[in-house]
Amino acid sequence: MKRLSILGSTGSIGQNTLEVISRYRDRFSVKALAVRNNVRMLEEQIREFRPEVVAVYDEAAASELKKMNPPVEILQGEQGLIEAATLDGVDMVVSAIVGSPGLVPTYEAIKAGKDIALATKEALVMAGHLVMPEAARRGVKILPVDSEHSAVFQCLDGTDMEEVEKIILTASGGPFRKKSVQELGKVTPAEALKHPNWDMGKKISIDSATLMNKGLEVMEAYWLFNVPVEKIGVILHPQSIIHSMVRFIDGSVISQMSVPDMKGPISYALSYPERFGNVLPALNLAEIGELTFEEPDMERYPSLALTYKALRAGGTMPCVLNAANEIAVEAFLDGKILFTDISRIVSDTMSEHTVARGETIEEVISVSEWAKQRAKEIVENNNGN
Ligand code: MG
């Protein structure tokens, strides 16, 4: 019986995780659930999964949950999330909180020796240089939940990294793959939220449309698989059937395919090194007929180029990129800026940052806060013009 703590249980990954668990009740128990503020859904999850502890980040939402009087201990704030992540008796933490608030609870879980099923890519984007060595020191396994990294992990299957020539991440290209750069200036948040293949949260849907998500995934792969940035490539694959691939030194390419459904990678992270039956419908390639590929156009997707630039700059630059992007995406969703302003705000924020090493989590977070503040100012000035 694997005992789990799920951080971000009401998000898209969290809900899918609980769905997988509900099919394998004899294999998992849910010890803790943590959410940002969706206490209505959390209350239903408490009744169904009977955790010992829940944590609610937002204090007003925590009080609301207390009034519902559910049969569980209720913690709140960042400290509550940390307690849920480090709870005694938990074997694995599913880290699926959207964005930078996921970093500290994930890092604390690693320090407490918990294995991690990692969906919150920000933990590696912001602080891979601290997170990965800490995991190695504690003998903690970090199992990717992101579909691309799960694919690479499955393709590698323990291969010596010396034999790997290139990790190739696939990207659907999002809903605007066919639009001209001019047309991109006019797209609305509603259009950007309509992802062609995957059903995801808002932030990641916008990041998929800009390809920033793919850039963050390049960073995630860099830390997870410990390869130089030159060895990580991106290819557009609109059908989202091949979830990523690895090219080896002998020219062989191994790819991982399935219908696009997050229950696949989630299930593999939970069951590894086993595979569970009955997770996804069989892939019918004859029905799909055609798998196509394109080189990503850096003019249409400047965010992708920015992520390579940030990764090469190293230190705290990826953290600045991530923070500025969070603010820019929020501003776009609020109708304050154009779709094409997102990458410009990220780029402008990056150009004002002097790279530091980011030697502690606290330093990383303070750089992130600086970048958010600066990006907000740039958004405001943008509107003043
Ligand atoms: Mg992904």
Side-chain angles (χ1 to χ4, degrees):
M1 183 76 87
K2 207 177 261 182
R3 292 159 301 180
L4 303 173
S5 171
I6 303 170
L7 310 181
S9 66
T10 56
S12 166
I13 297 288
Q15 289 182 58
N16 273 302
T17 302
L18 288 172
E19 208 179 313
V20 170
I21 290 168
S22 68
R23 296 183 201 169
Y24 296 94
R25 296 271 194 174
D26 54 327
R27 303 292 300 270
F28 301 107
S29 69
V30 176
K31 295 268 285 182
L33 296 173
V35 305
R36 186 188 279 256
N37 57 21
N38 188 349
V39 290
R40 193 159 297 183
M41 191 188 291
L42 176 61
E43 201 256 342
E44 286 169 28
Q45 293 177 343
I46 292 167
R47 273 187 274 139
E48 192 178 344
F49 294 94
R50 300 277 164 193
E52 289 168 21
V53 166
V54 295
V56 181
Y57 184 73
D58 183 279
E59 313 235 327
S63 320
E64 198 185 319
L65 181 66
K66 280 178 192 156
K67 284 190 202 127
M68 298 179 202
N69 207 14
V72 68
E73 184 187 347
I74 301 170
L75 307 169
Q76 63 186 46
E78 185 179 58
Q79 196 49 43
L81 258 54
I82 292 170
E83 282 179 51
T86 57
L87 197 67
D88 271 347
V90 164
D91 305 304
M92 178 179 254
V93 172
V94 178
S95 165
I97 291 177
V98 177
S100 46
L103 171 60
V104 172
T106 305
Y107 189 65
E108 292 297 324
I110 292 168
K111 286 209 303 201
K114 315 292 187 194
D115 285 337
I116 307 287
L118 186 72
T120 301
K121 50 181 72 97
E122 288 80 1
L124 293 180
V125 167
M126 296 171 72
H129 60 295
L130 302 174
V131 166
M132 293 310 288
E134 191 62 36
R137 256 198 300 278
R138 310 267 175 184
V140 160
K141 282 201 268 307
I142 298 190
L143 294 155
V145 168
D146 214 344
S147 61
E148 294 76 4
H149 305 78
S150 176
V152 171
F153 183 64
Q154 294 179 58
C155 294
L156 289 171
D157 195 25
T159 310
D160 186 341
M161 290 308 288
E162 297 282 296
E163 295 179 357
V164 172
E165 195 176 74
K166 195 135 193 169
I167 286 173
I168 304 161
L169 304 178
T170 52
S172 71
F176 307 137
R177 194 169 48 89
K178 302 276 188 203
K179 286 209 189 301
S180 71
V181 176
Q182 284 75 15
E183 286 171 320
L184 284 178
K186 301 188 199 104
V187 302
T188 64
E191 290 172 299
L193 288 172
K194 268 192 219 125
H195 194 277
N197 305 331
W198 296 95
D199 184 13
M200 306 179 293
K202 276 188 185 179
K203 162 75 166 48
I204 192 169
S205 294
I206 303 302
D207 284 347
S208 294
T210 58
L211 244 64
M212 178 59 91
N213 183 54
K214 208 52 51 182
L216 299 179
E217 287 177 354
V218 169
M219 296 177 174
E220 194 184 358
Y222 174 83
W223 291 113
L224 273 177
F225 305 115
N226 191 24
V227 285
V229 57
E230 296 73 28
K231 284 193 173 188
I232 310 169
V234 172
I235 193 165
L236 297 188
H237 166 48
Q239 296 83 10
S240 299
I241 296 297
I242 293 185
H243 301 309
S244 280
M245 36 198 154
V246 177
R247 191 168 77 229
F248 296 89
I249 48 174
D250 61 357
S252 270
V253 176
I254 297 184
S255 73
Q256 186 265 340
M257 300 189 238
S258 75
V259 295
D261 185 324
M262 286 310 292
K263 284 190 278 300
I266 289 168
S267 170
Y268 194 66
L270 295 181
S271 67
Y272 178 82
E274 279 178 69
R275 282 183 192 272
F276 286 162
N278 224 355
V279 174
L280 297 177
L283 177 65
N284 186 336
L285 284 173
E287 207 168 82
I288 291 156
E290 165 166 86
L291 300 179
T292 60
F293 306 91
E294 290 164 39
E295 206 68 56
D297 171 358
M298 292 291 179
E299 211 187 319
R300 189 195 314 262
Y301 301 114
S303 293
L304 182 60
L306 284 175
T307 57
Y308 275 96
K309 192 175 163 193
L311 199 49
R312 288 202 171 94
T316 46
M317 194 58 96
C319 173
V320 166
L321 167 138
N322 177 66
N325 180 59
E326 282 186 13
I327 295 303
V329 168
E330 217 174 87
F332 170 67
L333 287 171
D334 290 344
K336 288 185 186 163
I337 59 168
L338 300 177
F339 183 77
T340 41
D341 290 333
I342 297 174
S343 61
R344 202 174 42 74
I345 283 159
V346 173
S347 169
D348 287 357
T349 310
M350 280 170 64
S351 67
E352 289 182 28
H353 178 62
T354 310
V355 174
R357 277 215 290 250
E359 286 178 82
T360 61
I361 290 288
E362 292 71 26
E363 189 187 338
V364 165
I365 287 169
S366 85
V367 167
S368 178
E369 291 306 320
W370 169 84
K372 284 184 184 178
Q373 193 47 44
R374 193 63 202 111
K376 277 181 192 163
E377 289 160 14
I378 298 171
V379 166
E380 295 312 321
N381 292 341
N382 185 68
N383 286 341
N385 292 339

